């Protein structure tokens, strides 16, 4: 049994009106239920607490909680700069717990965020295949390469009945609307859900149903929806609460590297969630995705828009082949790609089990 102080945001992008966020549904829920519920979780949703008490009091309360509860592990998932570096360092130094942060976007946030925070923690986890070497170059040695996964306690096959030919769940960032329009013009009926689409957002439960009830689920990897002008502005400007200020010139080069890093396609949670619901997945290429699934046998990877449309039409016609691949994807996910397995592997590396 482990006692874990869990510190992350509760709500989607820290906004209560958007409902629970990714971290809550996947990290918190998995840590609470894994290993037959053996872990004791001290829940510290710092976004919710900061809204009630303010940033300073929230940080002080976090320190007090860590020192009082004496956990084996303090598991962090930083969002922005809600937490104070000096508070995390004090927890790392005085609590007796191992501190670990899961960095979520090192493909593009390493240079202007992660590398400045890593030294606050005993260990960090990253999903970027290039990041461990980058951390080493900064002098930080305790970086663990991990990956997104499926919370199999939540994401499960719902129904064998197929209501949709094809579905996409996500926001219409970047070139996604253009791709969807071309798919529709080719004669394919596609169901799009999420903030910004004509049918709007859906609940977590509804999303899981759609993954199971769709003949084909799409994961469109091009996700950046920031215009060129806004991207350039972010090199030199920063948002502080509701005001815009000139960024520290020392960080301009790092911000440029961060902007360029967005060109690298990274694996997303969807790559594991859809197969984990027994859904058939067609996805774009992403950093070391084929280390996790075999394309054509467990998922299907498309090369470009033309190839995507060709593959959708093919697998709509050949349902038997589609079902075999979906079944193999589910089996692989449950065998290798659950958060329970990811977390237990991390806990072994850091000496907790």
């Amino acid at each position: 049994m482990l006692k874990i102080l869990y510190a992350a945001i509760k709500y989607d992008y820290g906004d209560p009106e958007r409902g629970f966020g990714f971290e809550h549904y996947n990290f918190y829920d998995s840590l609470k239920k894994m290993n037959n519920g053996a872990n004791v979780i001290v829940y510290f949703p710092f976004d919710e607490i900061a809204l009630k008490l303010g940033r300073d009091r929230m940080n002080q309360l976090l320190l007090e909680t860590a020192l009082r509860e004496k956990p084996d592990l303090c598991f962090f998932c930083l969002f922005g700069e809600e937490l104070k570096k000096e508070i995390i360092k004090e927890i790392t130094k005085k609590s007796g717990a191992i501190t670990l942060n899961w960095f979520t976007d090192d493909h593009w946030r390493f240079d202007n965020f992660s590398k400045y925070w890593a030294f606050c923690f005993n260990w960090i986890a990253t999903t970027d295949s290039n990041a461990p070497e980058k951390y080493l170059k900064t002098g930080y040695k305790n970086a663990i390469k991990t990956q997104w996964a499926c919370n199999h306690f939540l994401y499960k096959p719902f129904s064998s009945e197929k209501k949709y030919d094809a579905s996409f769940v996500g926001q219409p960032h970047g070139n996604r609307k253009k791709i969807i329009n071309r798919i529709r013009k080719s004669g394919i009926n596609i169901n799009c859900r999420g903030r910004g689409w004509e049918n709007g957002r859906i609940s977590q439960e509804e999303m899981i149903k759609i993954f199971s009830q769709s003949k084909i689920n799409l994961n469109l990897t091009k996700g950046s929806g920031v215009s060129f002008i806004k991207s350039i502005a972010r090199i030199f400007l920063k948002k502080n609460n509701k005001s815009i200020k000139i960024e520290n010139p020392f960080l301009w080069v790092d911000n440029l590297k961060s902007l360029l890093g967005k060109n690298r396609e990274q694996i997303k949670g969807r790559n594991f969630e859809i197969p984990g619901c027994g859904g058939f997945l067609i996805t774009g290429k992403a950093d070391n995705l084929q280390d996790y699934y075999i394309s054509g046998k467990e998922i299907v990877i498309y090369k470009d828009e033309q190839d995507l449309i060709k593959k959708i039409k093919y697998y709509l016609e050949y349902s038997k082949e589609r079902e075999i691949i979906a079944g193999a994807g589910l089996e692989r996910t449950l065998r290798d790609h659950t958060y329970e397995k990811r977390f237990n592997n991390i806990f072994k590396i850091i000496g907790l089990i």
Side-chain angles (χ1 to χ4, degrees):
M1 182 188 78
L2 294 175
K3 189 174 188 179
I4 300 172
L5 173 58
Y6 172 88
I9 61 173
K10 178 178 182 178
Y11 299 113
D12 190 31
Y13 289 90
D15 182 358
E17 293 185 0
R18 295 173 67 119
F20 292 149
F22 177 90
E23 296 85 348
H24 184 87
Y25 279 124
N26 294 281
F27 293 168
Y28 171 66
D29 193 69
S30 293
L31 287 168
K32 183 174 67 171
K33 295 175 181 175
M34 64 185 277
N35 300 338
N36 296 314
N39 296 329
V40 175
I41 309 298
V42 181
Y43 185 50
F44 196 92
F46 57 73
D47 57 336
E48 182 178 50
I49 297 171
L51 285 172
K52 295 177 181 177
L53 304 179
R55 180 174 182 259
D56 290 343
R57 180 69 188 113
M58 177 272 289
N59 273 268
Q60 186 59 37
L61 183 60
L62 174 61
L63 175 60
E64 292 169 5
T65 302
L67 297 179
R68 181 185 68 250
E69 295 290 340
K70 298 184 177 0
D72 301 297
L73 171 69
C74 292
F75 181 99
F76 295 85
C77 185
L78 297 181
F79 180 63
E81 298 192 359
E82 295 84 5
L83 302 183
K84 297 180 179 180
K85 289 178 182 174
E86 60 268 26
I87 293 294
I88 300 174
K89 288 178 180 178
E90 194 166 353
I91 292 172
T92 299
K93 184 177 180 181
K94 296 182 178 179
S95 70
I98 294 174
T99 55
L100 176 142
N101 187 75
W102 183 301
F103 284 110
T104 59
D105 289 303
D106 275 353
H107 289 75
W108 63 274
R109 291 188 82 191
F110 173 85
D111 288 293
N112 66 355
F113 184 77
S114 303
K115 72 179 184 182
Y116 295 107
W117 286 85
F119 288 91
C120 298
F121 304 95
N122 296 125
W123 294 85
I124 67 94
T126 179
T127 62
D128 178 9
S129 62
N130 294 340
E133 184 178 351
K134 291 181 180 179
Y135 281 110
L136 274 176
K137 289 180 179 178
T138 71
Y140 189 82
K141 300 179 181 179
N142 290 345
I144 300 169
K145 168 61 170 60
T146 186
Q147 194 48 264
W148 303 116
C150 172
N151 175 8
H152 67 298
F153 302 108
L154 183 62
Y155 293 85
K156 301 176 182 180
F158 174 78
S159 171
S160 59
E161 179 192 0
K162 303 302 179 186
K163 294 174 61 176
Y164 311 102
D165 284 344
S167 292
F168 172 73
V169 179
Q171 297 184 60
H173 291 325
N175 65 351
R176 289 173 175 175
K177 276 192 173 180
K178 183 183 72 172
I179 293 174
I180 294 299
N181 286 336
R182 289 183 178 175
I183 291 172
R184 286 173 170 163
K185 285 180 181 179
S186 74
I188 297 167
N189 184 22
I190 183 165
N191 170 43
C192 294
R193 298 304 299 266
R195 186 186 296 269
W197 294 107
E198 60 273 13
N199 292 323
R201 289 192 71 191
I202 51 174
S203 68
Q204 186 81 4
E205 294 76 16
E206 289 172 312
M207 179 179 72
I208 291 170
K209 288 180 182 179
I210 285 176
F211 291 163
S212 289
Q213 293 174 336
S214 300
K215 294 177 183 177
I216 293 173
N217 292 276
L218 302 185
N219 180 52
L220 305 177
T221 49
K222 283 287 184 186
S224 176
V226 181
S227 70
F228 176 76
I229 294 175
K230 284 186 177 179
S231 296
I232 296 299
R234 288 181 178 181
I235 297 174
F236 307 105
L237 303 173
K238 70 173 181 177
K239 184 181 289 187
N240 187 10
N241 294 323
K242 294 184 179 180
S243 62
I244 304 293
K245 296 185 177 180
I246 299 292
E247 179 64 276
N248 183 341
F250 176 74
L251 296 175
W252 288 356
V253 172
D254 288 338
N255 288 344
L256 175 59
K257 290 179 180 177
S258 174
L259 175 62
L260 296 175
K262 288 193 174 185
N263 291 324
R264 287 181 64 216
E265 293 293 357
Q266 59 179 311
I267 296 176
K268 299 289 188 181
R270 288 284 189 274
N271 291 110
F272 303 97
E273 294 161 1
I274 291 170
C277 292
F280 175 84
L281 173 66
I282 298 182
T283 181
K285 294 178 288 186
D287 176 31
N288 71 316
L289 175 57
Q290 295 196 67
D291 291 344
Y292 298 93
Y293 290 105
I294 301 172
S295 183
K297 293 188 175 181
E298 296 166 334
I299 63 170
V300 171
I301 299 174
Y302 69 87
K303 300 173 186 175
D304 51 36
E305 290 177 31
Q306 185 176 356
D307 186 46
L308 171 60
I309 292 170
K310 180 181 176 182
K311 281 180 164 61
I312 294 172
K313 290 183 175 181
Y314 176 87
Y315 286 106
L316 282 175
E317 181 176 357
Y318 294 97
S319 58
K320 181 83 172 176
E321 190 174 347
R322 185 184 72 232
E323 289 166 6
I324 291 171
I325 292 172
L330 173 60
E331 183 180 338
R332 179 69 184 275
T333 302
L334 295 177
R335 186 177 73 241
D336 296 332
H337 303 318
T338 66
Y339 281 111
E340 183 172 31
K341 294 183 183 297
R342 298 277 193 261
F343 290 146
N344 278 330
N345 181 59
I346 290 171
F347 295 166
K348 285 178 184 177
I349 292 172
I350 65 180
L352 284 175
I353 58 176

